[in-house]
């Protein structure tokens, strides 16, 4: 298999923002256990800004590293800016991913969207 | 570099110093082409003859039944395609199992393009075929049964003697992929009624890129590699002389004193399995606890994924393997783990440790301690564990 970058290994071994937020404003979950990866993301939102984020992931090294990286990327950002992040942005921030692992970065980006969607549904006026 | 604990001996093994020493002269002074006439070439020829004798002795075969190949995969390809094409007037049906190595499965799949029909025997939840199912699967047009001696992932040993008897009674050729079994189980092709057997050097502390196919005398088989008259005119190409010498020495060393070696390995294997199951909750031991290779451990850890376990172990200097999708290069977990009935999400969390006699109990204790922490750590990260 192609090697992981140093950044991927570093995020995998020391993932940021792991855990749950009990009173989260939005929760997103993507993937399924059959394919071998599931990501769940919790966000706290204040005045359209993501003030806190946590995640739990079942999956390979790339799945954990992309989850960790994407939480770092959206923390402190507006919902609009967070939604603009693409899977390519996540992969680039990690120094690239082996081609077969690009779907993991897709998952991370979809998980952000799912959490924001959940927040919007719950907070529609 | 920090100390490596190598627990992936089913993937490949470290070359034995005695094997390397016997090979070295054939890279240097004894470089003659064994097909040439002068004295320099004679030493190459003699080296090959000695290696052939050693392989034959290890299997209780005769030297003219041993053909050197580039390894297990080529041997499997040759055995299956060679029998299929040479005997297609009799019939175009082949029986194999659903837990074979891809070298067998993908070769069979290829043959379906040429009108061959393949029956894939299922296995029990322990990973063993039912010989009654084999008997029922035999047809008038069946020419070959190909069942592995022992499985590379879960280590289960198949009822080879019974399969050999059934094949003989029905006048069908019997091929077995014994790549994992050589050096672990004593093999006598006469007693077991084996017609064709694949083996490889690098699984038994020999070099990579060399293997052999045993073909019983009188078996009707086509050649796959055409050219010169090497290997009794059946497998062309200038011989990998040093590799062949290495295989000969490796098979001699690995089949010598199997009982004592496997005694130690079985004890270490059972200790490892028992300790892991005792210390880590929600684990499943895959394969049969008794009909199992002496060095094979295969365990699923619920709620976590195999590649993650491997990466964390690697960080601690421990080399292991997994049947998760992410390590197979596809989105599907191991076909072997699915065939024994594991659900996908559990199959993704498998770990294979394969021991060698160089592994100590101290190493195993360290691995178990690290593994316990790693599984706990990854479960804390998992949304399935809630």
């Amino acid at each position: 298999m192609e090697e992981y970058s140093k950044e991927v290994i570093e995020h995998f071994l020391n993932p940021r923002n792991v855990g749950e937020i009990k009173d989260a404003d939005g929760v997103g979950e993507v993937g399924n256990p059959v394919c071998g990866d599931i990501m769940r993301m919790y966000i706290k939102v204040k005045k359209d800004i993501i003030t806190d984020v946590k995640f739990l992931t079942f999956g390979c090294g790339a799945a954990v590293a992309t989850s960790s990286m994407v939480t770092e990327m959206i923390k402190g950002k507006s919902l609009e800016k967070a939604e603009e992040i693409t899977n390519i942005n996540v992969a680039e921030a990690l120094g690239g991913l082996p081609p077969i692992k690009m779907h993991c970065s897709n998952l991370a980006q979809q998980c952000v969207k799912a959490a924001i969607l959940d927040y919007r549904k719950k907070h529609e006026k | 570099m920090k100390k490596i604990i190598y627990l992936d001996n089913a993937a490949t093994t470290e070359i034995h110093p005695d094997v390397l020493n016997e090979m070295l002269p054939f890279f240097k002074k004894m470089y003659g082409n064994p097909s040439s006439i002068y004295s320099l070439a004679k030493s190459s020829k003699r080296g090959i003859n000695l290696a052939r004798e050693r392989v034959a002795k290890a299997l209780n075969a005769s030297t003219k039944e041993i053909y050197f190949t580039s390894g297990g995969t080529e041997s499997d390809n040759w055995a299956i395609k060679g029998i299929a094409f040479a005997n297609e007037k009799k019939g175009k049906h082949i029986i194999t199992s659903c837990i074979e190595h891809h070298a067998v499965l993908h070769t069979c799949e290829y043959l379906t393009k040429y009108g061959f029909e393949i029956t894939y025997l299922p296995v029990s939840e322990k990973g063993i075929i039912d010989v009654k199912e084999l008997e029922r699967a035999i047809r008038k047009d069946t020419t070959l049964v190909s069942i592995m001696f022992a499985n590379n992932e879960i280590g289960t040993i198949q009822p080879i003697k019974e399969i050999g008897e059934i094949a003989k009674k029905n006048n069908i050729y019997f091929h077995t992929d014994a790549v994992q079994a050589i050096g672990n189980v004593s093999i006598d092709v006469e007693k077991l009624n084996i017609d064709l057997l694949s083996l490889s050097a690098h699984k038994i502390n020999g070099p990579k890129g060399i293997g052999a196919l045993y073909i019983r005398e009188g078996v009707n088989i086509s050649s796959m590699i055409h050219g010169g008259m090497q290997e009794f005119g059946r497998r062309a190409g200038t011989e990998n002389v040093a590799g062949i010498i290495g295989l000969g020495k490796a098979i001699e060393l690995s089949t010598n004193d199997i009982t004592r070696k496997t005694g130690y390995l079985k004890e270490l294997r059972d200790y490892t399995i028992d300790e892991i199951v005792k210390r880590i909750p929600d684990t499943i031991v895959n394969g049969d606890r008794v009909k199992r290779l002496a060095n094979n451990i295969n365990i699923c850890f619920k709620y976590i994924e195999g590649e993650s376990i491997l990466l964390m172990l690697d960080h601690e200097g421990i080399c292991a393997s997994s049947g998760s999708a992410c390590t197979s290069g596809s989105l599907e977990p191991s076909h072997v783990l699915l065939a024994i009935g594991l659900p996908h999400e559990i199959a993704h969390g498998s770990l294979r440790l394969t021991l060698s006699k160089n592994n100590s109990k101290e190493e195993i204790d360290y691995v178990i301690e690290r593994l316990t922490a790693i599984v706990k750590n990854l479960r804390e990260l998992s949304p399935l564990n809630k």
Side-chain angles (χ1 to χ4, degrees):
Chain A
M1 202 185 79
E2 249 183 273
E3 267 187 72
Y4 282 136
S5 68
K6 261 189 263 164
E7 293 89 337
V8 170
I9 294 292
E10 203 276 317
H11 269 265
F12 169 70
L13 293 173
N14 309 291
R16 284 47 150 188
N17 307 309
V18 173
E20 292 169 280
I21 300 175
K22 292 272 182 258
D23 57 344
D25 297 315
V27 182
E29 183 170 307
V30 294
N32 71 68
V34 173
C35 299
D37 33 31
I38 303 178
M39 285 180 198
R40 192 187 297 161
M41 200 170 286
Y42 304 83
I43 52 172
K44 285 293 278 179
V45 181
K46 210 171 193 177
K47 292 183 183 162
D48 271 2
I49 302 286
I50 298 172
T51 56
D52 197 12
V53 50
K54 293 237 184 292
F55 81 92
L56 291 173
T57 289
F58 161 78
C60 64
V64 174
T66 52
S67 313
S68 169
M69 178 52 88
V70 88
T71 59
E72 286 283 272
M73 290 169 82
I74 65 169
K75 209 174 189 176
K77 283 217 167 70
S78 68
L79 294 175
E80 208 173 66
K81 286 275 181 218
E83 280 178 308
E84 281 172 11
I85 291 171
T86 67
N87 73 319
I88 307 286
N89 298 148
V90 180
E92 276 172 359
L94 284 167
L97 284 172
I100 196 163
K101 299 289 186 178
M102 281 306 284
H103 78 104
C104 294
S105 60
N106 256 325
L107 219 57
Q109 174 249 357
Q110 283 164 13
C111 200
V112 170
K113 291 208 159 145
I116 294 175
L117 187 71
D118 182 58
Y119 164 79
R120 293 217 162 105
K121 266 193 208 154
K122 284 176 182 160
H123 296 80
E124 263 171 16
K125 302 237 162 63
Chain B
M1 208 164 84
K2 73 173 161 187
K3 191 178 179 291
I4 294 279
I5 299 182
Y6 188 74
L7 300 179
D8 203 14
N9 287 279
T12 195
T13 56
E14 187 180 0
I15 200 156
H16 192 289
D18 293 354
V19 171
L20 183 62
N21 281 338
E22 286 209 12
M23 290 172 72
L24 286 175
F26 293 91
F27 287 113
K28 294 176 182 169
K29 283 187 180 155
M30 301 205 269
Y31 56 81
N33 186 325
S35 300
S36 304
I37 195 84
Y38 34 77
S39 337
L40 175 67
K42 296 291 174 219
S43 49
S44 302
K45 188 74 193 164
R46 275 197 294 272
I48 291 176
N49 289 344
L50 172 65
R52 207 185 303 279
E53 278 166 28
R54 284 167 163 173
V55 177
K57 185 165 174 256
L59 302 173
N60 189 29
S62 77
T63 50
K64 54 185 180 298
E65 295 174 315
I66 305 300
Y67 299 83
F68 294 113
T69 67
S70 64
T73 293
E74 186 191 323
S75 295
D76 285 343
N77 268 263
W78 184 10
I80 295 167
K81 289 181 219 167
I83 293 293
F85 289 129
N87 299 280
E88 60 183 322
K89 281 206 178 106
K90 182 194 167 194
K92 296 182 90 168
H93 180 236
I94 293 167
I95 301 170
T96 185
S97 86
C98 54
I99 63 163
E100 295 299 309
H101 191 276
H102 285 134
V104 168
L105 291 179
H106 290 170
T107 302
C108 288
E109 199 182 302
Y110 165 82
L111 284 174
T112 61
K113 289 184 201 158
Y114 294 88
F116 289 88
E117 284 178 66
I118 317 291
T119 298
Y120 298 94
L121 297 176
V123 292
S124 68
E125 59 177 18
K126 300 281 186 197
I128 297 174
I129 71 148
D130 179 351
V131 289
K132 289 198 188 78
E133 296 250 17
L134 167 64
E135 280 183 312
R136 278 197 289 274
I138 291 172
R139 313 192 316 210
K140 268 193 188 135
D141 59 344
T142 309
T143 56
L144 175 70
V145 177
S146 178
I147 304 284
M148 68 201 326
F149 209 113
N151 185 266
N152 49 314
E153 292 188 41
I154 56 174
T156 44
I157 299 171
Q158 299 299 331
I160 295 299
K161 193 164 193 295
E162 287 94 320
I163 299 168
E165 278 163 12
I166 292 167
K168 191 178 182 186
K169 196 174 71 193
N170 289 280
N171 205 21
I172 297 165
Y173 291 130
F174 173 35
H175 165 249
T176 188
D177 176 337
V179 165
Q180 297 290 339
I182 291 280
N184 267 299
V185 186
S186 45
I187 298 177
D188 181 327
V189 290
E190 286 306 320
K191 278 193 192 145
L192 298 171
N193 290 307
I194 294 166
D195 296 310
L196 304 112
L197 179 145
S198 304
L199 62 91
S200 169
H202 77 103
K203 309 285 190 187
I204 51 171
N205 306 100
K208 293 168 183 64
I210 188 76
L213 179 63
Y214 157 79
I215 307 174
R216 178 181 292 281
E217 202 180 356
V219 164
N220 181 26
I221 184 168
S222 304
S223 290
M224 289 291 118
I225 298 186
H226 303 97
M229 288 307 290
Q230 293 89 353
E231 298 302 291
F232 314 110
R234 295 176 110 169
R235 198 276 188 186
T238 298
E239 297 87 341
N240 172 1
V241 182
I244 290 171
I245 307 294
L247 168 58
K249 188 61 185 171
I251 205 166
E252 184 186 75
L253 291 172
S254 74
T255 52
N256 176 20
D257 211 4
I258 287 186
T259 322
R260 199 167 60 98
K261 182 180 71 179
T262 55
Y264 171 73
L265 286 172
K266 275 181 188 164
E267 210 172 286
L268 199 58
R269 172 197 70 189
D270 292 340
Y271 171 76
T272 312
I273 296 176
D274 292 341
E275 282 297 305
I276 290 176
V277 171
K278 201 161 74 189
R279 287 176 190 220
I280 307 177
D282 295 325
T283 55
I284 297 167
V285 179
N286 299 313
D288 194 282
R289 285 296 302 262
V290 179
K291 291 171 192 158
R292 180 181 204 105
L293 290 174
N295 72 341
N296 175 287
I297 295 152
N298 192 308
I299 294 183
C300 283
F301 300 97
K302 290 187 186 171
Y303 321 124
I304 59 177
E305 195 274 340
E307 192 208 79
S308 289
I309 307 173
L310 298 188
L311 286 173
M312 293 224 168
L313 285 171
D314 182 43
H315 189 64
E316 311 278 354
I318 301 163
C319 307
S321 160
S322 167
S324 79
C326 280
T327 54
S328 71
S330 72
L331 289 176
E332 280 286 301
S334 140
H335 65 285
V336 176
L337 297 178
L338 295 180
I340 61 172
L342 292 181
H344 278 70
E345 64 270 30
I346 291 176
H348 282 299
S350 79
L351 176 71
R352 182 187 72 177
L353 307 174
T354 41
L355 313 171
S356 85
K357 63 183 194 316
N358 298 333
N359 293 126
S360 65
K361 185 167 170 293
E362 287 68 39
E363 283 182 332
I364 293 299
D365 283 334
Y366 172 74
V367 170
I368 293 170
E369 182 213 309
R370 296 319 308 149
L371 181 64
T372 309
I374 287 168
V375 172
K376 187 167 174 282
N377 187 346
L378 286 171
R379 281 181 176 166
E380 275 164 15
L381 206 71
S382 171
L384 296 179
N385 190 26
K386 303 288 161 188

